[in-house]
Structure formats: C-alpha cells, structure tokens
Amino acid sequence: MPEKTARTDHPIHAILASRWSPRAFSFQLLDNETIASMFDAARWSPSANNLQPWAFVYTVRGTQDFDVLCGCLKESNALWACNAAILVLALERPSKPDGSPNAHARYDLGQAVAHMTFQASALGLHVHQMAGFDAARACASLGIPADLLAVTILAIGHLGEPSSLPATLQEKELATRSRNPVSAFVHTGRWPNHVV
C-alpha cells in the first residue's frame, strides 16, 4: 500500500493526517468493544442545546441485515463497501422534541460522524462515508421511524489490499491524495473583494 498520509502545509494531529477513505477492506470482523467505542465517541460530540439529534443503525457483515443494507447501495459502492466489517446507517432527527425544526441537526450529525471517524482511526480502522444509496429503501427495509432521515452510510473496517478491487477502482485507491489549499476557503476579517 502506498503512503497515504496527508502532506499538510501546517502540523495537524497524526490521526487526522492519516485518515482517508479506502475502498479496499479486509474480511476481518470487529469485536463488540471496538464497535461500542466508536459509538461512544459519537455520543460525546458537540450538539446544539445537547439535543443529540442523531441515530445510527449498524449491521455486521455475514448477517441478513448487512445484506439488506448492501442492497440499498448504488452499484458502484456495493462493489467494494460490502466487504467492510460493518455498514452504519447514519440518521438525522430533524425536529426538536417540541416538534419545531432543528436547524442544526444535520450539522450535529456530521460532528457525531466525525468523532466516530476519529475514534475509528485511533483504533486502526478506516471509514468510508457514502451518499450513494437509496435512503427510502434503507429506511423501509430496516424499520426506521418516520421522524428520522437517512443521511449517509458508513463502511467501517480494517484496510484491505487494493488488488482485491476491480482494476478501475485500484487506480483510485492508489492515487495520491489531494485537497484544495487552505487559502481557497479561509479568509481573514471579511470575504475577499467585499465592498463597503
């Protein structure tokens, strides 16, 4: 496997620098304590007014529910994601307990997933998040209550060999990582070219 650690312009935590989203997962399963550790990290993520507007349903490879969730993925994702140890359906609770909209629900879910991802990385695991899935089918198949919205599916597991992937995906797996420079999205004081 080529070196995938980010070439940062400024020092960042080693776990963040080494985090990336592989497609090649090994067939090694995860123990219950490891899984619980990731969800506890999500539990302690920031949340507006401590509403914690997230929920997760996870499925373990080799079970019927895992196969059901695999069947909800776009074909291009199912090619590789169904080799992960677990698939996690991440859900947003868009309303507050009083029924009013929670404008920060999706933001808070994203933070919970980020905390899970950091914890997974600290445990030597990898996470690949996917938007390419049939949300309605996933919710219907897994019995998700109507007050929750399916936002993403996470494939989580140990890193596998790129050679396990189809040739077209091996190229992506081995490619050098790249990101926009910080200067493209961080501005001091006010937006560039703002006229007073």
Side-chain angles (χ1 to χ4, degrees), residues 20-23 25 30 38 59 66 69-70 73 77 80-89 117 120 125-130 152-158:
W20 64 289
S21 302
R23 292 174 180 83
F25 286 96
L30 305 181
M38 291 184 289
T59 63
F66 184 93
L69 200 50
C70 273
L73 295 172
N77 287 332
W80 55 267
C82 296
N83 292 329
I86 64 173
L87 291 177
V88 180
L89 181 62
T117 301
L125 303 174
H126 284 76
V127 178
H128 192 127
Q129 301 173 42
M130 297 166 280
T152 190
I153 293 178
L154 294 72
I156 305 176
H158 292 278

Side-chain angles (χ1 to χ4, degrees), residues 8-77:
T8 63
D9 294 333
H10 306 280
I12 64 173
H13 196 286
I15 290 175
L16 296 173
S18 63
R19 185 223 60 82
W20 64 289
S21 302
R23 292 174 180 83
F25 286 96
S26 79
F27 289 106
Q28 183 178 349
L29 292 175
L30 305 181
D31 59 64
N32 291 335
E33 184 60 31
T34 297
I35 295 169
S37 176
M38 291 184 289
F39 289 117
D40 216 20
R43 172 185 176 217
W44 289 104
S45 65
S47 163
N49 295 308
N50 200 27
L51 291 177
Q52 303 166 53
W54 52 71
F56 301 96
V57 173
Y58 79 93
T59 63
V60 178
R61 194 182 69 248
T63 66
Q64 181 179 355
D65 290 331
F66 184 93
D67 294 341
V68 166
L69 200 50
C70 273
C72 298
L73 295 172
K74 282 179 56 176
E75 185 178 350
S76 58
N77 287 332

Side-chain angles (χ1 to χ4, degrees), residues 90-112:
L91 302 151
E92 169 196 358
R93 190 176 306 282
S95 299
K96 297 178 182 178
D98 65 5
S100 64
N102 182 349
H104 301 290
R106 188 148 305 182
Y107 178 86
D108 286 354
L109 170 62
Q111 292 201 82

